Amino acid sequence: MRFAVIVFPGSNCDVDMYHAIKDELGEEAEYVWHDENDLSEFDGILLPGGFSYGDYLRSGSIAHFSNVMAEVKKAAEQGKPVLGVCNGFQILLEAGLLPGAMKRNEGLKFKCEPASLKVVNAKTPFTSGYTENQVISVPIAHGEGNYFCDELTLKSLTENNQIVFTYSENPNGSLEDIAGIVNERGNVLGMMPHPERAVDSMLGSADGLALFQSIVKNWREAHVTTS
């Protein structure tokens, strides 16, 4: 499986994402600059964390106008797995690929610490390697991770089982403790915690590795045939 790691001016978790795919999974990964206009050769798209365009105006608000985002939207429409982590999640929200918005953390402080997450939905292409209600440890590092949406959107997210991860102890004030959501089709995941920083026990946790393994496993089951 071949992954595109999208790099915006200000991305700073692209190397972590590349390491998770290339070194931990042994799959193909390539850095793709934000002005690229063709992602057709890639099977999965990864939007890493950081501070795209310095987070000017609002986190992710400028990045979603980059050329590559038209291709990210096309990939999502084609059913390819698209993962946005932290700033990547913010960009997916700004681009309309996921519903809702991000606000500043409660207390207006940047949070960088391990977080306990509950896997609310283990039936997505990103979470099939977990069990439902499993609690995992994945670090956070953000200043605008306070997820918010209106009542109708929350009702839709709940009814469609689009809430994938919740915080065991809410670090930022997110509505309903939401840490990660998918689109209705289930192939676009946005999450604030960093699974790419939890792929080896030497990093303090390897709980994030199953997320990337799930992506690869589901892609192979859908695309690789054996005789």
Side-chain angles (χ1 to χ4, degrees):
M1 185 174 183
R2 192 175 189 197
F3 289 87
V5 179
I6 308 301
V7 183
F8 299 93
S11 295
N12 65 13
C13 299
D14 43 340
V15 176
D16 304 74
M17 197 74 83
Y18 183 93
H19 165 74
I21 300 301
K22 192 78 172 179
D23 301 324
E24 298 294 339
L25 287 186
E27 300 295 325
E28 293 185 53
E30 184 176 324
Y31 296 116
V32 177
W33 193 232
H34 68 106
D35 61 356
E36 180 60 57
N37 55 19
D38 184 5
L39 296 178
S40 60
E41 62 184 294
F42 297 100
D43 306 306
I45 314 299
L46 307 174
L47 278 66
F51 304 91
S52 58
Y53 296 92
D55 277 353
Y56 290 117
L57 301 181
R58 188 174 59 247
S59 297
S61 62
I62 299 178
H64 95 271
F65 290 110
S66 293
N67 286 350
V68 76
M69 288 308 297
E71 290 300 302
V72 173
K73 291 179 180 179
K74 187 184 298 184
E77 291 168 359
Q78 292 170 345
K80 294 182 180 181
V82 177
L83 170 65
V85 173
C86 201
N87 189 230
F89 185 8
Q90 295 162 343
I91 295 170
L92 291 176
L93 293 171
E94 292 288 338
L97 285 168
L98 291 172
M102 285 294 173
K103 302 189 296 182
R104 293 287 302 278
N105 293 346
E106 277 189 356
L108 306 181
K109 291 184 178 181
F110 187 90
K111 292 292 187 75
C112 183
E113 60 194 30
S116 293
L117 308 180
K118 183 167 75 171
V119 182
V120 180
N121 181 356
K123 297 179 181 178
T124 77
F126 307 92
T127 55
S128 61
Y130 300 107
T131 57
E132 199 147 311
N133 296 319
Q134 181 179 348
V135 177
I136 61 176
S137 178
V138 181
I140 60 169
H142 57 251
E144 296 183 34
N146 185 349
Y147 179 79
F148 178 80
C149 64
D150 59 33
E151 290 184 8
L152 286 177
T153 300
L154 179 60
K155 184 174 184 290
S156 178
L157 288 174
T158 303
E159 291 179 349
N160 295 326
N161 207 19
Q162 289 174 249
I163 300 173
V164 177
F165 297 108
T166 57
Y167 296 108
S168 299
E169 295 182 9
N170 196 329
N172 49 37
S174 289
L175 182 69
E176 297 295 317
D177 303 323
I178 290 173
I181 60 173
V182 289
N183 61 344
E184 287 190 27
R185 188 171 179 177
N187 67 305
V188 179
L189 169 66
M191 60 187 296
M192 288 310 295
H194 289 266
E196 78 283 2
R197 295 183 180 178
V199 293
D200 191 304
S201 57
M202 291 179 65
L203 300 174
S205 172
D207 290 348
L209 186 58
L211 185 146
F212 297 104
Q213 291 171 331
S214 297
I215 298 174
V216 173
K217 178 177 180 292
N218 281 273
W219 181 86
R220 284 180 176 163
E221 289 176 350
H223 295 87
V224 179
T225 60
T226 58
S227 56

